[in-house]
Amino acid sequence: MITFTPLSGAARTHRTVPLAYLLQVDDVRILLDCGSPDWCPEPFVEGNEEDSASSWEKYCDKLKECAPSVDLVLLSHGDLSHSGLYAYAHANWGLTAPAYTTLPVQAMARIAATEDVEGIRDEQEVENATQASGESPAPEEATSAVGSASPSPASHSPTPSSPGGKRKYVATVQQVHNAFDSVNVLRYSQPCHLQGKCQGLTIIPFNAGHTLGGTIWKIRSPSAGTILYAVDMNHMKERHLDGTVLIRQAGAGGGVFESLARPDLLITDAERANVTTARRKDRDAALLDCVTATLSSRNSLLMPCDSSTRVLELLVLLDQHWNYSRLKYPICLLSRTGREMLTFVRSMMEWLGGTISKEDVGEEGTGHGGRDRRRRDEDNDDEALGAFALRFRHVEFFQTPQALMQAYSTKDPKLILAVPATLSHGPSRSLFAHFAEIPDNVVLLTGRSEPGTLGRHLFDTWNNAQREEAKWDRGKIGSNIMMDGLLRLEMHSKVPLQGAELEEFLAKERAAKEKEAAQQAATARTQRMLEADEGQSDSDSDEDSDSDDEENEVERTLGDDLMDNTDDLKRAREGPNASSRSSTKRKRGEGGGADGSEWAIANDDDGVTRISFDIYLKGNVAKATSFFKSADGQTQRFRMFPYVEKKRKVDEYGETVDVGMWLRKGRVLEEDAENEETKEARRRQAEEEAKKTPREPPSKFITTIAEVQLACRLFFVDLEGLNDGRAVKTIVPQVNPRKMILVHAPQPATDVLVESCANIRAMTKEIYAPSQGETIQIGQQTNSFSISLSDELLASIRMSRFEDNEVGYVAGRISSLATSTIPVLEPVSSASLQLKTASQQPVRARMLGSRPTQILPQSTMIGELKLTALKARLAQVGVQAELVGEGVLICGAAARRGTTADSLEDSVAVRKTGRGRVELEGSVSDIYYKVRKEVYALHALVAA
C-alpha cells in the first residue's frame, strides 16, 4: 500500500513552495525533498506576514514530528525550495536517515544553503536549537536591539526571530557542511539496491533538466510496483544543460524513455499547466536588448538571482553576449559563494550539456593550431582542457555591497547579479534600496520568486501593468515599466557596539570569563586530587623509597600547575599589575615548606572562594604533622575533608585505564622537556594565528525602516527553465501512468491539467490532488515474504524476458532448513505433482471404453498486445497488415487492394475481444503461423 502526504508544496494552493512530501511504501517512509521557505516575508502586504509565518510553522512542525521516523531521503534539485531545510532537520530534528542525490545536487545544495544561512545570520539574530528549548544564550553571543534612530540597550534574553514570535529554522554553516557530507551520491541511471529496513527497494536517478544534476527519481518496490517522482522538469535544451530524458528529442525518434513509461504511480507538478511560455529565442533577445540598451545609455542593471542553480544559465548567456558584442562593461556577481560555486561546476563537466559540452576550448585556442588550448584557470587553481565557456573573463566577484561600491561608483554603468533572487535579505535587498532611487536604472527579474517576498511583489507590479495579451503567461514578451511611489522596507543589519553598550558588554564578558576560569580551576584541582589519590593507593604496596619518589614527583607537578592556574586567574582579574605580585607569592610559596602554601589556597583578598588551612584534605601532596608523638616517631596524618570519591569504571577485563590522565601527564613531561626556544616559537605561532583570524567586534542587530522613492524601470523575462502548459499536457499522456498525484500547483493550474487528462480516453481516471497535510492511500496492504530457490530448481526454470524482468514458472515443495531462517523451495517430480493435482479434482463417472482424462499444463502469456506494434513486426517479415475498425488487424492477402475472393484463404484477422484476450481467425496457412509466431514474440511466454 502507498500512502502519500504533502508536508508543503501541495496542489490547489497559492503557496507552492517549498517542496516536501512524505511517501510511505508499505513500512518504508520516504521523504521526497526537504525545501525551506523564505524566512523574511514582507510586512507591507496586508495579511502576508501572518499567512507566511503560519504556513512555514505548520510545515516545520509536521516535518519535525515525522523526521525521526523517516527511513530514506531523496533530494531532486539543489536549490533552497528543494533542499534548503535538510541541514537544519538533520542537525536538530533527527533526520538522520540515509539521503541520496546526484553529485551536482549535493554541491549546489550545500552552496545555496551556505549562502542563505550566512546572509540571514549576518543581518538578523537567529535562535539556536538550545535557546529554543529554554536555555540561556551563551555570554559571548552578540546581543540584539531593535529600533530606528536610537536603538534600545542590549539584552541577553532571546528575542523573537520572526514576525509574531515565529522561529526561523536556520542552520549554522557547520551544520550545513555536516549534513551534506553525509549525503550519498549516485550517477544518472545507476540503480541502487537499498539495504536494512528499505531492503527490496531500488532507486534510480534520471536527468530532469532545469538545474545541474536535477533528478527524476524512479522507485521500484516488489509490492507497490514502480513509482516515478518527477517535479520541476525542462524538456528543452539550454546553454548549459540538456533536456530531461523523460521525453526523447525529435532526432532520437520522440516518445517517452522506455524505462520511465507506464509507471504504477506518477508524482508530478502542475505549476505551469496553464502557462504558455514565449520562445527561448525571443526571451533571450529581449533580455540582451534590454541589457545592451541600458548600459549604452550609461545606466546600470540589477538582476536578482539565486546562488547556485539558475545563475549558471544567466552567466553563460551574458558571457557569450559579451564575447560576441565585445562589450567592456563589468559584470558584477555579488555572492559570498560565487567563486566556490564555479569551482565546483568546472570540476563536473560531465554533468553539463547544451552548448557548453560542444564548444571549442576558447576563442584564443582556435586558429592557432591548438597551441593555447591548455590555459591556466583565472583562479590559478589548476590547468584544465575545455570548459572555457565557464571561465567568465568578464565576471568580477564581490563579497559585500560595500566592496562593490568601493570598486565602482553609482554613476558607472554595470550589470549586477546579486543574491538572493527574492530580494528578502542580503546583498540584493541592500542594493535595491539605493539602486531603485536612480532614474533610468533597470531592475531585471528572471523569475517570479516565492509569494510574499519583495521579488514577487515587484513581479506582480510589472505583470499588472501589462496589457492582457502581453502578460507573462500568454506567450508574449512584455515591456518595461517606470516605477513610482514610495516603498517602505525593513532593513536588517549588524552594527558594532559603542559607548555604554560596549562597556556593559565587555564587563559581562569579563565576569563570564572569570567565572569560567574559576570553574576550570576547580575542575582541574578536583582531577589532580583524584590522580593524587590514585597514585597513593597504587604506591601502598610498593617500597617506601619508591612511594616517596612518586609523592615528590606528583607534589612538584601539581604544585607548579596549580600555581600557574591560580596566577592566570589572578592576572585576568587584577590586570597587568598582577604579574609582579603573583611572582612574589610564588617565591614565598616555594620557600614555605609544608605549610600548605604550595596549593596557593590561603589568599582571602582575591575574591575567589578558597579552601582554608584548617580543612584537612586526603592527598599526598601536602603532609601535616600530628600534634601527638608516637613511640616510634612522628605519625603522618592526611587531610581528610572534603573527600572526592573516584568512581572507577570496570569492564570485563578489569578497571579501565584513564587515558585522559596519562595524556595530561604526558603533556606535562613534554613541556618540561622543551627548551625556551621551542616554547617561544610556539607562542609566536599562536599569536600569528590569532592575528590571521581576528575576533569579530561586539555588535548588535538593528532594524531600520528605509523609505525608497522608486524611480527606476522594471522588466521581467522568464528564464526559470521549466516546462510550460503545452509540454506538460503532451508529456503526461505519453508517460501514461496507472495512477497520478499532482503536487506543487495552484488551483487554476491543477484544474487545467486534470481536465486535460480527463479528455484523453487512454489516460487514467485515478488522479489525486491532495492539499497540505492531507493523506491519501493508494492500493491495499500487501504482505511480502522471502523464499530461497534451491540450485536444482533454479537450473530447471525456463525464463522468459519481459521488459526489464525475467519471468518463469515454478512448481516445488517448501522445506525448512535448520541452518537458515528463510524457507527453501525444492523441486518435486512431475508424477507426484500430477498425482496431487488429480487428487484435488472431483471424481467423475467414466464411460465404458473411454480413456482416462489427462490434465495438460497450461502456459501463461504476459504482456499487452498492441496492434500497431504487431503491424510493424509483420511488415518486417514481409506480411502486409492493415487496421480495420477498432481492435481488428487484417493480415495477409486481404490487406492488399484488388484481391480476389480466392486469395482470402491466405488471410488472418487478429482481434482484441477484451482485456487479456486475443483471437486469431483464419484458415490454416503459412500466414496464420507467421502471425501467431509474432503474437507470441510480443509476449513473455511462461511455460508450465
Side-chain angles (χ1 to χ4, degrees), residues 748-768:
T750 305
D751 296 338
V752 166
L753 185 56
V754 170
E755 182 181 356
S756 174
C757 294
N759 295 332
I760 301 176
R761 182 177 179 182
M763 270 294 295
T764 179
K765 306 305 177 186
E766 297 186 59
I767 302 177
Y768 306 91

Side-chain angles (χ1 to χ4, degrees), residues 35-317:
S36 64
D38 191 281
W39 303 111
C40 306
E42 294 299 332
F44 56 77
V45 180
E46 185 176 356
N48 171 61
E49 196 170 316
E50 293 77 7
D51 182 31
S52 60
S54 174
S55 176
W56 88 50
E57 280 291 332
K58 182 179 179 182
Y59 158 51
C60 293
D61 291 342
K62 196 70 177 179
L63 179 60
K64 182 179 180 180
E65 178 184 348
C66 67
S69 62
V70 169
D71 304 308
L72 178 66
V73 181
L74 301 179
L75 303 177
S76 59
H77 293 277
D79 52 5
L80 294 175
S81 60
H82 294 82
S83 310
L85 197 58
Y86 173 71
Y88 189 91
H90 179 274
N92 300 295
W93 292 342
L95 187 62
T96 55
Y100 289 86
T101 189
T102 58
L103 179 62
V105 170
Q106 180 199 35
M108 297 297 104
R110 184 204 308 268
I111 291 172
T114 302
E115 181 77 40
D116 187 57
V117 302
E118 286 185 347
I120 294 179
R121 288 182 174 272
D122 194 44
E123 294 182 354
Q124 305 177 40
E125 183 180 21
V126 179
E127 296 179 14
N128 295 326
T130 55
Q131 296 182 25
S133 59
E135 299 180 14
S136 59
E140 64 271 14
E141 289 183 358
T143 56
S144 173
V146 179
S148 54
S150 56
S152 58
S155 172
H156 280 283
S157 60
T159 58
S161 55
S162 61
K166 304 296 183 181
R167 290 196 62 235
K168 295 178 181 177
Y169 302 96
V170 180
T172 63
V173 176
Q174 186 61 42
Q175 289 174 351
V176 170
H177 287 287
N178 293 340
F180 288 104
D181 284 343
S182 66
V183 175
N184 304 289
V185 295
L186 301 174
R187 299 184 304 273
Y188 282 150
S189 303
Q190 176 189 353
C192 179
H193 306 283
L194 304 178
Q195 302 297 327
K197 187 177 179 181
C198 303
Q199 186 172 8
L201 291 182
T202 302
I203 57 175
I204 310 174
F206 293 92
N207 181 20
H210 177 55
T211 63
L212 184 63
T215 305
I216 295 174
W217 285 105
K218 180 179 179 181
I219 306 170
R220 294 203 317 209
S221 168
S223 59
T226 302
I227 303 172
L228 208 62
Y229 176 64
V231 295
D232 288 343
M233 299 178 295
N234 187 16
H235 72 289
M236 297 294 294
K237 179 182 291 188
E238 298 185 274
R239 283 175 171 79
H240 78 294
L241 291 176
D242 290 328
T244 177
V245 299
L246 183 61
I247 189 78
R248 291 180 295 192
Q249 300 297 326
V256 177
F257 190 48
E258 291 84 354
S259 298
L260 302 178
R262 195 63 174 162
D264 294 284
L265 175 62
L266 172 65
I267 305 171
T268 188
D269 65 313
E271 185 182 18
R272 289 175 166 240
N274 60 340
V275 174
T276 302
T277 306
R279 295 186 307 170
R280 196 188 82 171
K281 179 181 178 181
D282 297 337
R283 289 182 279 123
D284 292 350
L287 184 140
L288 296 178
D289 289 345
C290 177
V291 169
T292 305
T294 305
L295 294 177
S296 300
S297 61
R298 308 296 297 174
N299 296 110
S300 300
L301 295 97
L302 173 63
M303 296 178 64
C305 63
D306 65 282
S307 58
S308 62
T309 53
R310 296 303 304 171
V311 68
L312 284 173
E313 182 72 10
L314 285 175
L315 290 175
V316 174
L317 173 62

Side-chain angles (χ1 to χ4, degrees), residues 245-431:
V245 299
L246 183 61
I247 189 78
R248 291 180 295 192
Q249 300 297 326
V256 177
F257 190 48
E258 291 84 354
S259 298
L260 302 178
R262 195 63 174 162
D264 294 284
L265 175 62
L266 172 65
I267 305 171
T268 188
D269 65 313
E271 185 182 18
R272 289 175 166 240
N274 60 340
V275 174
T276 302
T277 306
R279 295 186 307 170
R280 196 188 82 171
K281 179 181 178 181
D282 297 337
R283 289 182 279 123
D284 292 350
L287 184 140
L288 296 178
D289 289 345
C290 177
V291 169
T292 305
T294 305
L295 294 177
S296 300
S297 61
R298 308 296 297 174
N299 296 110
S300 300
L301 295 97
L302 173 63
M303 296 178 64
C305 63
D306 65 282
S307 58
S308 62
T309 53
R310 296 303 304 171
V311 68
L312 284 173
E313 182 72 10
L314 285 175
L315 290 175
V316 174
L317 173 62
L318 295 172
D319 191 68
Q320 291 177 354
H321 179 63
W322 252 247
N323 290 331
Y324 179 78
S325 301
R326 300 187 181 278
L327 300 178
K328 301 300 181 181
Y329 304 105
I331 302 176
C332 307
L333 179 58
L334 192 53
S335 170
R336 293 179 176 87
T337 58
R339 292 184 181 274
E340 181 184 2
M341 180 266 297
L342 290 180
T343 302
F344 274 114
V345 174
R346 289 170 189 148
S347 66
M348 296 182 289
M349 290 299 299
E350 68 274 12
W351 296 87
L352 295 171
T355 59
I356 288 183
S357 60
K358 301 176 180 60
E359 275 196 0
D360 201 353
V361 293
E363 187 179 30
E364 300 177 5
T366 58
H368 294 82
R371 65 184 181 187
D372 295 329
R373 296 173 70 89
R374 196 170 188 86
R375 301 188 311 177
R376 182 169 293 275
D377 192 291
E378 62 183 10
D379 297 334
N380 293 325
D381 291 334
D382 56 353
E383 292 186 352
L385 189 65
F388 284 102
L390 298 178
R391 298 301 169 114
F392 303 128
R393 292 178 299 145
H394 307 282
V395 178
E396 301 181 25
F397 300 90
F398 296 94
Q399 298 281 338
T400 61
Q402 292 75 17
L404 175 62
M405 294 302 179
Q406 291 177 0
Y408 298 100
S409 67
T410 57
K411 297 181 180 180
D412 295 332
K414 54 189 172 296
L415 173 59
I416 305 174
L417 300 173
V419 297
T422 58
L423 293 163
S424 58
H425 65 276
S428 61
R429 187 181 184 90
S430 176
L431 279 178

